[in-house]
Amino acid sequence: MSGLQPLLHDLLVTLRAPSQVWCAPDGQVRPSGAQGAYHADVRVLSAALVRVDGAEPEPIGAGRVTGGALEATSLLRMIDGPGPDPTAMLRRRRTVAPGEVTEELELTCATAEPVAGRLTVRLESDLAPMESIKQGRSHAARTPEVDGDTVRWVDGATRVEVRAEGASVEADDSGATLGWDVTVEPGATVTLRWTARSEVPAVVTAPARPEPEWSVPTVVADDSRLAPLLRRSLEDLAGLRMSAGFAPDETFLAAGAPWFFTLFGRDSLWAARLLLPLGTDLARGTLRTLAARQGTTTDVDTAEQPGKILHEVRAGDLHVDDDTTLPPVYYGTVDATSLWVCLLHDAWRWGMEDDDVEALLPALERALAWMREFGDADGDGFLDYADASGHGLSNQGWKDSGDSIQWRDGSLAEGPIALSEVQAYAYEAAIGGAALLDAFGRPGADAWRSWAAELKSRFRSSFWLTDEDGPYVAIALDRRGAAVDTVTSNMGHLLGTGLLDADEERAVARRLVAPDMSSGYGLRTLSSTSGGYWPLRYHGGTVWTHDTAIAILGLTKAGLGDEAAVLVRGLLEAAPHLDYQMPELFGGNAVDDGPAPMPYPAACHPQAWSAASSVALLTAALGLAPSSEQHGGLQVRPITPSPVGALDVSGLRFGGSDVHLAMDATGRLENP
């Protein structure tokens, strides 16, 4: 039976893809909710609970050391000496590597006499699938096998094995207890260790190489929040690096932990696109990985079509709910194909090698052809979607929850749905694709520029609405071609794509920074004046970091620095409240409504495109963009005045070279 989706906001995570450990704030892994050690999409340990003389240590602090390491400190007053001061202590150090979790348990004391006790670690495993845990299903712990100091759980090809040097092992039907009798001398250290190694059949695996594909810039800014945000974000991204079995030499970013720890077309593409100022290697790996599974046939069950870029991959069917079951390789996305083309074009402009670009041009041509031949299912001239399988996603843009496309009164729009931002991605892909075809001497560029011009004209006549606050862009057209009248963040994705003219971009900018849309912590997904608004509705009032970042970049590209600065300052205002780890989403409450942004309690963290958004703040503040000329230079047009004050950045990358830039608080470059 399904229950409630487990909450994540108060859990600590330690990860190195494709492995992760979720624990309570004291470092203990208890058999409840989403807590546990995972490898691929299986929970290999559902409990790892430390006790001393039968009692849990008293926690005094826990937190990440790096993305792959955590330390928790506890007091051991059950074996401590007399006196008010705590003088016996346990440090629990957890390290996660692909397929491996190691814990060191370090005991020390400052007592007059040695302290002694029995330390135990209770381990349980349910080998439960991730999808079932997300649905809140309960799972019985499995009976382990014991061989000396080794404990293992096995289910077919899935296997987890725990070894603990010097420990006694006591097993029962629901788990095993590791035990050590310890004596700690004053001033000395006793260190105990256990390691779990896991094997799980999976489509995605550890990354192809150990080092990240991007540079790590050094940032000095008047705004003291920017540097720690960037540092934390890049550390989080390092833990999300993955490779796929069908493209084992390439690296991409998994969408997010814990639920989306795999390849997602849209998410992985956007994350790589946001990181382009730090290098093009991640973009190349992401493009190649997705091209390796580009659609070749028409399959209603998987939503595959020739030229289409996939939505996600899993090891088996994914049962989302009673009505939705996705096949292992699923193509139900309306935007990933256009975004793939956009990333290839942008990576080329940022300096991706011509040979690497040219090798991907056949996939580019197939992707462009998909937009024209398959993207418009109802023939109205706009890219749209409708699930034809009966068990796929009902909404197939980035706002993919069932209630995300709604009218201002809160009622749901009926599909096929043509999303506004999808038309912008398609326009940008057609123009960028044409530039690539021209540059490499391939035919078809003029036809795609004509296609884009016609789309632009149709869009202007179909998507614009006006209310008492002025003009704005509808989120979508419904099955009748009617413009769905909610005011949403989707229109922020249109900025800088070329789909809008300058006056239209200014109109959109005004709506985005108005109080009903800008919470002071970022951009709300839905206007607070809409009937369906709620600050904790997944796509109906929350703030998504990447959504805000995309709008920031579009505003900057459109020359609307004042409005971009409003949203830059909003994300920076939110960052310290979130411990500089921008989650998948957070509450849309205003700055003056409570002490901090409300946590969205089921939000994934880290999330690839959220973490990558920190780089977008740098990109916007400096006004970075490749020249429109082939093999041109890097344009630098800072927002003035600077939303982060004076800024000095070294370690950016363009065309394979390091870039150092500095500007004062007015936005004047000091080394143009």
Side-chain angles (χ1 to χ4, degrees):
M1 178 180 293
S2 295
L4 298 175
Q5 180 175 334
L7 304 184
L8 304 170
H9 68 288
D10 59 348
L11 300 185
L12 301 177
V13 60
T14 314
L15 78 167
R16 276 293 180 267
S19 300
Q20 53 184 326
V21 178
W22 290 78
C23 70
D26 59 359
Q28 297 274 40
V29 179
R30 296 181 172 85
S32 64
Q35 294 186 47
Y38 299 81
H39 184 57
D41 272 346
V42 175
R43 181 161 61 185
V44 293
L45 292 176
S46 52
L49 195 61
V50 173
R51 294 185 176 91
V52 176
D53 280 1
E56 289 192 36
E58 297 173 285
I60 59 172
R64 64 189 287 280
V65 179
T66 65
L70 172 141
E71 182 172 309
T73 303
S74 300
L75 304 179
L76 302 177
R77 292 196 293 176
M78 71 287 290
I79 59 172
D80 206 348
D85 290 335
T87 52
M89 186 168 62
L90 169 67
R91 291 182 184 270
R92 182 178 189 176
R93 298 187 175 97
R94 176 180 303 135
T95 303
V96 177
E100 183 173 295
V101 177
T102 298
E103 286 199 351
E104 291 186 347
L105 306 167
E106 180 187 279
L107 296 91
T108 57
C109 69
T111 53
E113 302 293 334
V115 297
R118 182 167 179 79
L119 185 147
T120 61
V121 181
R122 174 65 179 181
L123 299 175
E124 297 179 5
S125 175
D126 54 15
L127 299 182
M130 176 73 75
E131 63 181 87
S132 184
I133 295 164
K134 185 182 180 185
Q135 293 169 7
R137 297 177 185 269
S138 59
H139 298 271
R142 294 175 178 245
T143 303
E145 304 171 6
V146 177
D147 181 8
D149 64 355
T150 300
V151 184
R152 68 177 61 90
W153 290 265
V154 180
D155 182 10
T158 297
R159 176 188 184 95
V160 56
E161 184 172 278
V162 177
R163 292 187 177 180
E165 183 178 348
S168 64
V169 179
E170 297 180 3
D172 54 46
D173 289 345
S174 59
T177 301
L178 313 177
W180 295 264
D181 291 311
V182 296
T183 299
V184 185
E185 299 287 340
T189 299
V190 173
T191 302
L192 312 172
R193 183 180 292 103
W194 64 271
T195 299
R197 294 183 174 89
S198 305
E199 298 175 7
V200 177
V203 178
V204 292
T205 60
R209 63 183 193 181
E211 297 302 320
E213 288 68 25
W214 53 83
S215 66
V216 178
T218 300
V219 175
V220 179
D222 284 347
D223 193 316
S224 61
R225 301 168 295 190
L226 181 59
L229 173 61
L230 185 72
R231 183 169 55 251
R232 175 69 185 269
S233 296
L234 294 180
E235 288 178 359
D236 283 341
L237 290 169
L240 294 172
R241 297 170 59 251
M242 276 186 166
S243 293
F246 50 81
D249 296 328
E250 309 300 336
T251 302
F252 61 87
L253 289 173
W259 316 127
F260 310 122
F261 217 38
T262 186
L263 174 65
F264 272 70
R266 175 193 310 118
D267 300 54
S268 300
L269 287 163
W270 263 122
R273 198 177 185 192
L274 293 170
L275 286 176
L276 281 172
L278 306 185
T280 60
D281 286 355
L282 179 68
R284 183 185 61 208
T286 304
L287 289 162
R288 287 176 173 176
T289 299
L290 290 167
R293 281 294 180 270
Q294 188 174 23
T296 59
T297 189
T298 299
D299 186 329
V300 171
D301 186 58
T302 66
E304 181 179 359
Q305 293 167 332
K308 197 175 186 183
I309 297 298
L310 60 79
H311 174 59
E312 68 177 293
V313 295
R314 300 278 183 172
D317 286 350
L318 178 67
H319 301 285
V320 179
D321 53 41
D322 291 342
D323 299 320
T324 308
T325 299
L326 308 184
V329 181
Y330 180 58
Y331 290 80
T333 170
V334 71
D335 50 15
T337 307
S338 302
L339 288 171
W340 188 96
V341 176
C342 292
L343 177 59
L344 179 60
H345 173 261
D346 287 0
W348 174 58
R349 289 296 191 204
W350 277 94
M352 186 169 155
E353 294 289 341
D354 281 358
D355 288 349
D356 293 329
V357 175
E358 190 165 19
L360 290 166
L361 292 182
L364 167 86
E365 291 168 328
R366 292 191 293 270
L368 289 172
W370 175 85
M371 294 196 310
R372 182 169 53 200
E373 297 170 13
F374 296 96
D376 178 14
D378 61 6
D380 65 353
F382 297 110
L383 270 67
D384 54 33
Y385 63 85
D387 173 50
S389 70
H391 57 74
L393 294 174
S394 58
N395 282 316
Q396 297 183 5
W398 84 262
K399 292 180 178 177
D400 57 2
S401 57
D403 63 351
S404 62
I405 314 301
Q406 55 181 258
W407 296 86
R408 188 172 286 208
D409 64 6
S411 60
L412 300 185
E414 298 180 19
I417 296 290
L419 293 167
S420 60
E421 78 274 16
V422 169
Q423 316 316 313
Y425 303 156
Y427 178 89
E428 194 174 12
I431 296 297
L436 285 166
L437 294 174
D438 271 346
F440 288 88
R442 300 174 83 100
D446 287 342
W448 281 110
R449 280 187 281 266
S450 296
W451 185 90
E454 292 169 3
L455 174 62
K456 185 174 185 175
S457 176
R458 285 193 300 272
F459 186 91
R460 181 167 289 118
S461 63
S462 300
F463 274 84
W464 279 93
L465 295 170
T466 300
D467 63 9
E468 61 276 9
D469 295 318
Y472 67 99
V473 178
I475 184 175
L477 305 183
D478 73 352
R479 66 181 180 84
R480 299 181 306 275
V484 181
D485 63 351
T486 41
V487 177
T488 69
S489 63
N490 297 55
M491 59 182 159
H493 294 226
L494 280 57
L495 297 165
T497 64
L499 187 65
L500 307 181
D501 65 26
D503 288 339
E504 291 168 338
E505 287 184 319
R506 283 191 288 270
V508 168
R510 284 193 296 271
R511 298 304 296 255
L512 294 181
V513 299
D516 64 313
M517 289 299 297
S518 176
S519 73
Y521 294 121
L523 182 61
R524 293 187 180 99
T525 45
L526 180 69
S527 167
S528 59
T529 64
S530 294
Y533 170 79
W534 177 246
L536 292 179
R537 181 160 283 133
Y538 193 61
H539 289 128
T542 54
V543 172
W544 288 64
T545 308
H546 86 284
D547 187 33
T548 303
I550 291 168
I552 288 169
L553 291 177
L555 288 163
T556 306
K557 191 173 181 180
L560 300 167
D562 290 345
E563 292 85 352
V566 170
L567 298 181
V568 168
R569 288 192 289 266
L571 289 184
L572 289 172
E573 183 68 26
H577 295 294
L578 302 165
D579 196 25
Y580 295 100
Q581 183 182 65
M582 305 304 283
E584 180 185 14
L585 67 159
F586 52 89
N589 58 300
V591 165
D592 58 0
D593 181 15
M598 296 178 188
Y600 185 85
C604 292
H605 58 94
Q607 188 86 351
W609 56 14
S610 295
S613 295
S614 64
V615 179
L617 302 187
L618 276 184
T619 306
L622 291 166
L624 301 180
S627 169
S628 59
E629 299 298 322
Q630 185 180 355
H631 303 303
L634 180 64
Q635 297 178 350
V636 186
R637 297 172 180 169
I639 295 174
T640 55
S642 167
V644 297
L647 177 62
D648 188 297
V649 185
S650 59
L652 298 168
R653 301 282 291 172
F654 178 74
S657 300
D658 288 332
V659 177
H660 172 230
L661 294 169
M663 66 181 187
D664 63 21
T666 69
R668 182 180 62 86
L669 287 174
E670 297 179 355
N671 56 342

